[in-house]
Amino acid sequence: MSNVLEYSKKLAVVMKLHRMKLISDSELLLIKNKLKSEYHIYNMAA
């Protein structure tokens, strides 16, 4: 599986947790930054 697909799947789960109010905004940012670093994702559009 490609890194981008793996990253996207994990991000989808994290976003679902955020929508369900199980993680805070600050936790969301930390997790997103960690995933970007782990998968070497750069310059993603906001």
Side-chain angles (χ1 to χ4, degrees):
M1 184 175 346
S2 75
N3 278 349
V4 175
L5 180 57
E6 224 173 295
Y7 166 77
S8 298
K9 288 169 68 176
K10 288 184 180 183
L11 186 59
V13 171
V14 169
M15 295 303 291
K16 175 76 174 184
L17 292 173
H18 184 256
R19 282 192 303 274
M20 293 172 67
K21 305 286 188 211
L22 297 175
I23 61 174
S24 67
D25 291 339
S26 59
E27 289 172 318
L28 174 65
L29 288 175
L30 288 172
I31 294 168
K32 283 174 68 174
N33 288 334
K34 172 88 172 158
L35 285 174
K36 285 181 186 181
S37 171
E38 183 178 328
Y39 287 98
H40 307 289
I41 307 291
Y42 303 106
N43 297 330
M44 297 274 308

